[in-house]
Amino acid sequence: MALEAAERPSEETLLLWEREQARLKTRVVPRDTEAWQRDPAFPGLRRVGGVDVSFVPGDSSRACASLVVLSYPELQVVYEDSHMVRLKAPYVSGFLAFREVPFLVELVQRLQEKEPGLMPQVLLVDGNGVLHQRDLPCVGVAKKLLQVDGLENNSLHKEKIVLLQSGGDTFPLMGNSGTVLGMALKSHDHSTKPLYVSVGHRISLEVAVRLTHHCCRFRIPEPIRQADIRSREYIRRTLGNPGSPAQGQERHQKEQRPKACPKGGSGAPAGPGRPPEDCGRDSSTDLKDPQPGFQEQQKDQQSEGTGPHKDSDLWPPPAARVQSPP
DNA sequence: GCGACAG
DNA sequence: ATCTTGTCGC
C-alpha cells in the first residue's frame, strides 16, 4: 500500500506541464486590482491567508495541507483548516505547483463553503509566483532562490544579500531577459537570509513585497508560518497514535472540519508596544520562533509554491486533457 | 558514479 | 520537504 508519488514524470508529462504553465502565465494579472493595494497603509485589508503542505516522514504520498486566515494588521489566526491528503504527483523542481496546488485549491473551496465570510483578500503561498490563475490575489514567498533564467545563488548574489541593511530592504531578481522576476527581501532587521518574493496574481510586485514585509513577525510571514506550524502539528498528533487502526486519522477528532476561531487576544489584548501574540497559545507551542531581534538560525521554515492555479490535476498524464478556462 | 534543484 | 543534537540568546 503505497501510492508512490515519487517516480519521475515522463518527458511527455513534463511537456504538458510546461504547456500548462505557459497557458496560465498568459492569464496572470501582475498588477494591483484591489482598492486596498493602492494605499501604502492597505486600508480595507482585513484578512490575509497562508497555505502550506507538510509531509509525513516515512510516507512519500501522505501529507497535511493547511490553510489559515489571519486578521490584518493584527496577524491573529481567525480560521484554520488542516487535513490529510494523498499526494499524486512527484516533486519536480520548477513544477511544484502540480504537486501541491490541487490541495490548496481544495482548501479554498472548503473555506468558501463553510465560512465564506472569512475568505482572505490575498493569499501568501510558499514558493515562487508567476502563475496562479484563480480569483484570489496571491503572492509567492520562497525561502531559497529558484535558479532559473540565469538566476544563480552565486557569490554576486550573496554580496547583494550582505548589502541589505534593514528589514524591508530589497534588490531585484533580474532574469536573463532583463525581466524582473521577483525581489529578494530582508524580512526584518536581523534576518540573514532574504525571502524571495514574486507576483502571484492580481497584485504588483511592489505591493507584494510591502505586504509580505508587513506580515513578518519573524523571517517567514505569519500566514505561511502559521500554516506550516499547524500542518506539522497535525501530523505530529496523527503520528502520535499509530497504535490504533489504520495509519491515521480515522479518529473523529477535530480534523476534517474547518474551524473558525474567534480568538484574538480575548482577555489579553495586545499589550502596548508588543505585537499581539497569537491565539493565546503560541510561543510555548511554537518550536522555531527566533525573536525578531536575533537568532535567525532556524534552518528554514516553510514555503511552498505559487504556481499553476489550475483546476484539474495533470497527473497521471491524462491524454492531453483540455483545460477549460475558469 | 556525483551534484544541482522552489517544496 | 524530512532526517538530525546541541547551542546560543532573549
Side-chain angles (χ1 to χ4, degrees):
Chain A
M1 49 239 323
L3 299 182
E4 336 245 323
E7 55 187 72
R8 242 240 162 197
S10 65
E11 289 307 311
E12 184 182 347
T13 297
L14 290 178
L15 284 176
L16 280 178
W17 285 2
E18 287 177 8
R19 204 152 143 273
E20 175 65 359
Q21 290 180 320
R23 188 184 73 84
L24 292 171
K25 186 175 183 178
T26 290
R27 307 183 165 216
V28 171
V29 177
R31 309 183 308 275
D32 296 319
T33 62
E34 311 302 296
W36 60 265
Q37 300 170 328
R38 307 202 57 195
D39 187 314
F42 296 153
L45 177 60
R46 308 299 303 282
R47 299 174 307 284
V48 181
V51 288
D52 182 45
V53 176
S54 289
F55 304 81
V56 174
D59 198 321
S60 66
S61 70
R62 301 184 70 227
C64 176
S66 293
L67 164 63
V68 297
V69 178
L70 276 60
S71 60
Y72 187 91
E74 299 80 11
L75 300 183
Q76 305 241 335
V77 178
V78 297
Y79 174 89
E80 170 188 1
D81 181 14
S82 302
H83 72 128
M84 297 302 296
V85 298
R86 185 70 71 173
L87 298 170
K88 296 174 181 176
Y91 168 69
V92 180
S93 181
F95 301 93
L96 177 65
F98 292 92
R99 175 173 168 81
E100 306 188 347
V101 162
F103 306 110
L104 307 188
V105 171
E106 179 188 347
L107 286 167
V108 171
Q109 294 178 331
R110 283 161 58 114
L111 170 56
Q112 176 61 48
E113 296 175 356
K114 318 228 172 185
E115 294 287 348
L118 292 180
M119 188 59 68
Q121 291 159 288
V122 60
L123 197 57
L124 299 190
V125 182
D126 18 349
N128 297 279
V130 182
L131 298 185
H132 263 265
Q133 178 53 42
R134 259 311 165 88
D135 291 315
L136 288 179
C138 51
V139 177
V141 181
K143 298 182 300 302
K144 294 178 182 176
L145 178 65
L146 176 58
Q147 308 190 125
V148 296
D149 193 30
L151 295 182
E152 267 187 289
N153 183 20
N154 52 28
S155 56
L156 173 58
H157 180 75
K158 290 171 182 168
E159 287 176 23
K160 292 178 181 176
I161 291 178
V162 178
L163 295 181
L164 297 176
Q165 294 296 306
S166 11
D169 286 356
T170 65
F171 66 80
L173 300 173
M174 208 86 73
N176 278 332
S177 54
T179 307
V180 175
L181 303 177
M183 298 282 267
L185 165 71
K186 191 182 185 73
S187 58
H188 70 247
D189 291 350
H190 300 275
S191 184
T192 297
K193 298 180 59 178
L195 289 181
Y196 296 98
V197 180
S198 56
V199 168
H201 188 47
R202 295 188 182 181
I203 191 169
S204 64
L205 180 56
E206 295 65 35
V207 171
V209 168
R210 290 194 56 252
L211 172 65
T212 299
H213 184 213
H214 284 303
C215 286
C216 289
R217 297 211 309 182
F218 305 109
R219 179 181 174 235
I220 304 300
E222 281 304 292
I224 290 178
R225 179 167 167 273
Q226 285 301 324
D228 173 45
I229 290 173
R230 291 159 193 256
S231 58
R232 298 161 88 115
E233 278 183 350
Y234 187 92
I235 288 179
R236 282 190 66 178
R237 292 203 314 266
T238 295
L239 266 48
N241 302 325
S244 293
Q247 291 96 27
Q249 63 293 5
E250 298 315 327
R251 296 300 182 187
H252 45 75
Q253 305 174 326
K254 64 176 180 182
E255 49 176 289
Q256 296 294 54
R257 202 186 292 46
K259 180 183 181 182
C261 35
K263 305 181 179 181
S266 55
R274 285 293 163 210
E277 275 306 298
D278 193 332
C279 289
R281 72 130 217 60
D282 190 35
S283 36
S284 58
T285 311
D286 288 5
L287 295 182
K288 34 191 173 185
D289 227 88
Q291 291 300 309
F294 224 71
Q295 198 88 7
E296 159 63 42
Q297 66 159 47
Q298 32 185 341
K299 293 192 169 191
D300 288 302
Q301 297 192 356
Q302 87 340 201
S303 276
E304 136 210 348
T306 297
H309 210 316
K310 47 175 192 28
D311 308 306
S312 51
D313 314 0
L314 274 59
W315 187 267
R321 152 191 330 184
V322 176
Q323 300 292 306
S324 50

